[in-house]
Amino acid sequence: MREYDNELINNNIENFKNLSLKPNDVDIYFDMDNTLCLFSPFGDVESSCRVMYQKGFYRELLCFPEAPSVLYNLQGIGFNVKILSSCIDSPYCRPEKLSWINYHLPFVEDKNILLLPVGQSKSNLIPNPERSILVDDYHANITDIYKHGGIGVKKTFSGKERPIPQVSSLVDIFSVLHNLNCL
């Protein structure tokens, strides 16, 4: 099991709860690959990595069925919904991710779409981590947001026990937000 700093996690969660934030005070950042859309069907990451440089790969990723309605409803409640995704060094990745977002999530404004080169810290693009939540499937991004004072929510497929909030379906984010005192 990957290591988590339980004390840091508990402190960040308690600090977030104590802020008693309203939805419009909270920024929720969503990763794309394996969070909003299925990057590797049947868990076959290796096969996806072999073809991810090909034209059409990112545009054709399968959207998780609940993703559009969850993000739409979060916005309707007042949360500041943003997309924060890494892009590989390919001429297709960035434009296809933007095309994917515009097709599946047309209600997310362009100013709320942040695409960065793979390997760069997502947390560095979050201006107010103490009032921000990052929903991501990648362990390093989750641990990094906690180091910056924010909250990380793990999108998981395994259901393993972890000391952090986690969701197997994006619908579960509403329960997490309730537990964080902002819903």
Side-chain angles (χ1 to χ4, degrees), residues 69-80:
S69 63
V70 167
L71 272 64
Y72 183 80
N73 283 305
L74 288 170
Q75 273 190 346
I77 293 168
F79 290 99
N80 304 304

Side-chain angles (χ1 to χ4, degrees), residues 54-165:
Q54 294 178 7
K55 185 176 184 178
F57 176 78
Y58 287 97
R59 186 178 50 246
E60 300 302 322
L61 290 174
L62 296 174
C63 181
F64 288 123
E66 73 279 8
S69 63
V70 167
L71 272 64
Y72 183 80
N73 283 305
L74 288 170
Q75 273 190 346
I77 293 168
F79 290 99
N80 304 304
V81 173
K82 301 172 186 289
I83 309 297
L84 180 56
S85 185
S86 298
C87 291
I88 60 169
D89 185 21
S90 159
Y92 310 115
C93 184
R94 182 181 187 80
E96 288 187 9
K97 282 193 174 193
L98 288 170
S99 176
W100 188 97
I101 294 165
N102 288 328
Y103 179 78
H104 293 284
L105 309 168
F107 50 86
V108 176
E109 295 180 37
D110 290 345
K111 69 179 183 175
N112 292 325
I113 301 170
L114 306 163
L115 301 177
L116 69 156
V118 71
Q120 286 190 2
S121 169
K122 289 182 176 182
S123 298
N124 288 340
L125 291 179
I126 298 175
N128 299 298
E130 69 283 349
R131 62 176 189 86
S132 297
I133 298 167
L134 173 64
V135 182
D136 204 306
D137 67 309
Y138 187 49
H139 171 81
N141 293 331
I142 297 295
T143 56
D144 193 46
I145 188 69
Y146 279 102
K147 291 176 187 171
H148 283 81
I151 301 294
V153 176
K154 172 87 165 141
K155 174 68 162 70
T156 182
F157 296 92
S158 69
K160 292 179 187 171
E161 280 289 319
R162 294 178 178 93
I164 57 172

